[in-house]
Amino acid sequence: MYHQIPEKDWKVWKPLFEIALNRFCDRTLRGATKYAKGEGTPHERYLKLYQYLKKKDKELAEVFDYFSRSKALMQIALSVKRQLITPEELATFSEETRETITLMLG
């Protein structure tokens, strides 16, 4: 089990959490636009959109549900994995946290 995020990194993560969440939502919304004028009937496109959003909702929950200090390291690692945090943003965390994230991502 991984240790809890250091206080100084928790303070860095709080605003980055919102940035990463907004990036996820922006990508999801941009991805959803292809269903508006895609191939198939409106009903078929609606069903595809529904499945797409259902998948994205699971991803959203995996990364962003239950904002808490105890989940921060996992949320950061998943945000890095999904490229929701830039390398420059990741560099704002302590070396200890960056090493933990690297280990978590294998």
Side-chain angles (χ1 to χ4, degrees):
M1 183 113 199
Y2 296 101
H3 60 278
Q4 195 173 65
I5 190 169
E7 179 68 25
K8 63 184 175 180
D9 289 330
W10 172 242
K11 290 178 180 178
V12 171
W13 175 234
K14 285 180 179 182
L16 281 179
F17 177 91
E18 291 297 323
I19 291 168
L21 175 61
N22 283 319
R23 283 182 184 142
F24 178 89
C25 292
D26 183 59
R27 287 180 192 171
T28 299
L29 290 169
R30 282 188 280 126
T33 61
K34 70 180 182 183
Y35 298 100
K37 295 190 179 186
E39 293 184 22
T41 67
H43 184 244
E44 290 168 338
R45 292 192 322 263
Y46 173 85
L47 292 175
K48 288 177 186 176
L49 173 63
Y50 176 77
Q51 290 303 314
Y52 169 78
L53 291 175
K54 191 173 166 183
K55 177 184 168 205
K56 291 298 182 181
D57 191 53
K58 286 181 183 179
E59 289 178 28
L60 177 79
E62 180 181 40
V63 180
F64 298 105
D65 273 5
Y66 309 109
F67 180 72
S68 70
R69 192 168 170 184
S70 64
K71 288 195 64 173
L73 290 170
M74 183 58 70
Q75 290 174 327
I76 295 166
L78 291 170
S79 293
V80 168
K81 182 178 179 181
R82 288 180 168 80
Q83 298 178 333
L84 298 170
I85 293 176
T86 67
E88 294 81 12
E89 291 164 340
L90 182 60
T92 63
F93 291 103
S94 68
E95 184 176 342
E96 174 188 4
T97 293
R98 290 192 314 268
E99 288 174 1
T100 301
I101 297 304
T102 300
L103 287 172
M104 291 173 80
L105 294 173

